[in-house]
Amino acid sequence: MARVLIVGAGLTGSLCAALLRKETPRPVHLTVWEGSGGRMATARSPCNPQSTVDLGAQYITRTPHYAKKHQSFYDELLAHGILKPLTSPIEGMVMKEGDCNFVAPQGLSSIVKHYLKESGAEVSFRHRVTQINLRNDKWEVSEERGSPERFDIVVLTMPVPQILQLRGDIANLISECQRQQLESVRYSSRYALGLFYEAGTKIDVPWAGQYITSNPCTRFISIDNKKRNIESSEVGPSLVVHTTVPFAVTYLEHSTEDVQELIYQQLESILPGLPQPVVTKCQKWRYSQVISAPANSHGQLTLHREPFLVCGGDGFTQSNFDGCVSSALCVLEALKNQI
């Protein structure tokens, strides 16, 4: 039985695992390692785990093109209640003809959890890969805390700059052409600040989400429970602020505490009289959204064939649900001949 390691438990990695379990002709032993968490991240309040906030992606936009191309994926998530149509008002949202938006009632991380469960993979979190070496026609993969393990096939779905930082034989096995392709990938950066409130707190605004165009720090605000149409007397509201890219670039290497204070000051200037939160969670997205992907990468980049090592993720497509699905399908196609 082939041992397959998928590095990265974001949307692409988790869907790759689910597709491999379902589509490959022979049984495989699937392992997923995740270092720091994918960008479909949902934070829970330590005071009340029912209170959640999406710190990464906020909602999913389905275009007419992908409504047909990826229909089975949307149908499955809607049938399981993991997605539902976004009906709450989002001020400043730009809608194109035929587009449809969806939210995840349990937070967007529930999509990743669904695919990981479907995969039956052995999942380990806080496994940050540091080295990949070639040993007797297998990949020996090292992570920060444990002993190296050997795999027949490795799939890398973490942000591309993290692939380029890997040590070991992989650094010499990547061709000059492949390195140039990987180095051409560019990401934007952002901060997200989640705020959790006591039950019974009122945030009196007419919208569930709002795009901000006139603030140097703040780009988007969402009252997350309202965005999902969830009202409860037992669970307090939750709010998330996403910063502009220029703000994040300016403060990327500053302490999280200092950045959080700056974001909160700007939020208070936009929403004066905002109640005090009981808990906050500040998230730095160094690799937020892909600005440019490699030309002609077709959703994946095969770095080595025997043994097989392939890269996938939004770095090879685009930073949205359909970009990750496209990449996962391309990785699956590349792997079918190897298993």
Side-chain angles (χ1 to χ4, degrees):
M1 190 185 295
R3 295 196 78 219
V4 180
L5 171 65
I6 297 172
V7 182
L11 180 53
T12 306
S14 60
L15 181 52
C16 273
L19 290 171
L20 280 168
R21 175 66 67 216
K22 190 163 67 172
E23 302 287 344
T24 49
R26 289 188 294 170
V28 293
H29 184 278
L30 285 170
T31 302
V32 178
W33 287 359
E34 173 57 65
S36 56
R39 282 158 287 168
M40 281 199 163
T42 303
R44 295 184 181 277
S45 167
C47 303
N48 187 337
Q50 288 179 282
S51 180
T52 63
V53 69
D54 287 322
L55 290 177
Q58 291 297 300
Y59 53 86
I60 287 171
T61 301
R62 184 186 67 190
T63 64
H65 171 72
Y66 285 113
K68 293 178 181 176
K69 193 173 183 181
H70 294 160
Q71 181 180 350
S72 62
F73 297 96
Y74 284 102
D75 287 350
E76 178 189 357
L77 295 173
L78 287 162
H80 282 85
I82 295 164
L83 288 183
K84 68 176 184 180
L86 169 62
T87 57
S88 307
I90 308 291
E91 285 190 3
M93 178 191 284
V94 177
M95 287 286 288
K96 295 178 182 175
E97 188 177 347
D99 283 0
C100 186
N101 294 311
F102 300 96
V103 290
Q106 300 302 312
L108 280 162
S109 67
S110 62
I111 301 173
V112 170
K113 290 174 183 175
H114 169 74
Y115 288 135
L116 289 175
K117 185 179 177 183
E118 292 278 297
S119 76
E122 180 185 302
V123 183
S124 296
F125 293 97
R126 298 183 184 87
H127 271 47
R128 183 174 172 270
V129 173
T130 54
Q131 286 193 52
I132 300 180
N133 289 296
L134 200 50
R135 299 282 186 268
N136 301 322
D137 294 327
K138 291 186 186 294
W139 295 113
E140 184 179 84
V141 186
S142 304
E143 53 96 15
E144 277 183 329
R145 302 184 308 164
S147 302
E149 291 190 41
R150 292 192 180 186
F151 300 91
D152 300 288
I153 294 169
V154 173
V155 181
L156 303 175
T157 69
M158 68 270 230
V160 173
Q162 294 177 355
I163 296 173
L164 288 165
Q165 290 163 14
L166 292 172
R167 304 192 306 274
D169 294 339
I170 185 174
N172 301 319
L173 292 170
I174 297 174
S175 72
E176 188 56 36
C177 177
Q178 291 168 340
R179 186 173 295 280
Q180 286 176 4
Q181 285 182 283
L182 293 172
E183 288 175 347
S184 72
V185 182
R186 294 284 180 269
Y187 292 81
S188 62
S189 300
R190 290 185 194 273
Y191 280 93
L193 177 62
L195 302 98
F196 299 96
Y197 296 89
E198 288 181 343
T201 303
K202 300 293 181 188
I203 301 175
D204 191 19
V205 292
W207 40 263
Q210 185 182 51
Y211 284 94
I212 310 290
T213 57
S214 56
N215 189 283
C217 168
T218 308
R219 180 69 184 104
F220 182 76
I221 303 171
S222 170
I223 317 294
D224 249 34
N225 55 302
K226 196 172 177 181
K227 178 185 75 181
R228 303 177 198 150
N229 273 329
I230 298 171
E231 299 287 344
S232 169
S233 58
E234 297 172 7
V235 182
S238 55
L239 182 151
V240 66
V241 188
H242 283 257
T243 70
T244 64
V245 171
F247 174 88
V249 170
T250 302
Y251 294 99
L252 202 57
E253 306 306 334
H254 288 232
S255 75
T256 304
E257 293 77 14
D258 289 348
V259 173
Q260 177 172 312
E261 183 60 34
L262 290 170
I263 298 170
Y264 193 74
Q265 287 172 7
Q266 291 297 321
L267 178 64
E268 285 188 308
S269 72
I270 297 166
L271 297 175
L274 192 66
Q276 279 293 117
V278 289
V279 182
T280 60
K281 166 72 174 175
C282 190
Q283 175 72 50
K284 173 164 61 177
W285 296 115
R286 186 180 291 276
Y287 309 115
S288 174
Q289 289 178 299
V290 173
I291 299 168
S292 63
N296 305 315
S297 63
H298 305 296
Q300 59 89 15
L301 182 62
T302 300
L303 296 182
H304 201 268
R305 294 197 177 274
E306 292 182 9
F308 203 75
L309 191 151
V310 62
C311 305
D314 62 348
F316 303 92
T317 50
Q318 54 190 337
S319 290
N320 54 29
F321 176 81
D322 290 296
C324 293
V325 172
S326 296
S327 179
L329 289 168
C330 292
V331 170
L332 176 71
E333 198 59 40
L335 287 176
K336 273 186 175 177
N337 297 328
Q338 307 297 319
I339 296 174

